[in-house]
Amino acid sequence: MDLKELKEILQILEEKEITEFELEEEGMKLRIRKAGPASSNHQAPPGALPPAPVVLHAPVSAPRAAAAPEPLPAAEEEAGLTVVKSPIVGTFYRTPDPNAPPFVNVGDRVRVGQVLCIIEAMKLMNEIEAEVAGEVVRIPHESGQPVQYGEPLFTIRP
């Protein structure tokens, strides 16, 4: 699914006033839920517009090669570590809102499906979930930093 298709889906959902939508295809699952003002749990930086819909994106047993377009660094590959990469370009947030503790810290144990961070893109809050269970060993970004597609977000030791 490319950005144009996602924009078309969002436009249709907005026009039809649909509040929840789910799509699953070729190892990708997309769930869009429009959040009301009271249910939004992430405070945007001052001057930013409040988020409209909330998009939850999680790969569904996609082949490893498709999820990792660039090779892992040799040291991490040899150590058997899993690198969670950004599925989109956006702003990385470690917390659900500015006054909350981070979703995870280095040394924390995570389970499959646990939220690791949020990436904001086009006023959409995308929850990034753990694809493997294990221990978080590296978080290269700070909250509020921009991230690119395919950029490492977390390194997890299964």
Side-chain angles (χ1 to χ4, degrees), residues 3-146:
L3 187 58
K4 182 180 176 186
E5 292 172 320
L6 181 59
K7 285 181 180 179
E8 288 174 5
I9 290 171
L10 292 173
Q11 182 178 0
I12 291 168
L13 296 176
E14 190 65 34
E15 289 171 1
K16 302 293 183 188
E17 297 181 11
I18 296 172
T19 58
E20 194 162 331
F21 172 80
E22 191 165 331
L23 171 71
E24 191 170 332
E25 68 175 27
E26 298 179 19
M28 191 259 324
K29 182 177 181 181
L30 173 72
R31 185 173 59 191
I32 302 171
R33 184 176 57 229
K34 192 171 184 179
S39 66
S40 178
N41 65 352
H42 192 283
Q43 299 290 329
L49 296 174
V54 174
V55 176
L56 307 176
H57 176 272
V60 177
S61 62
R64 184 81 177 142
E70 56 189 67
L72 296 174
E76 291 180 355
E77 203 171 70
E78 289 173 15
L81 301 176
T82 299
V83 176
V84 177
K85 296 183 179 183
S86 178
I88 55 174
V89 174
T91 304
F92 174 84
Y93 292 106
R94 291 191 56 203
T95 63
D97 70 64
N99 299 322
F103 288 107
V104 295
N105 290 302
V106 171
D108 287 356
R109 302 276 313 159
V110 295
R111 64 188 185 290
V112 174
Q114 180 176 343
V115 176
L116 300 173
C117 67
I118 293 174
I119 296 182
E120 178 185 8
M122 297 173 42
K123 297 189 277 181
L124 299 176
M125 299 299 169
N126 302 279
E127 291 182 340
I128 308 303
E129 299 175 349
E131 297 171 6
V132 297
E135 177 187 359
V136 177
V137 294
R138 185 168 177 255
I139 306 172
H141 297 284
E142 292 299 321
S143 243
Q145 285 188 326

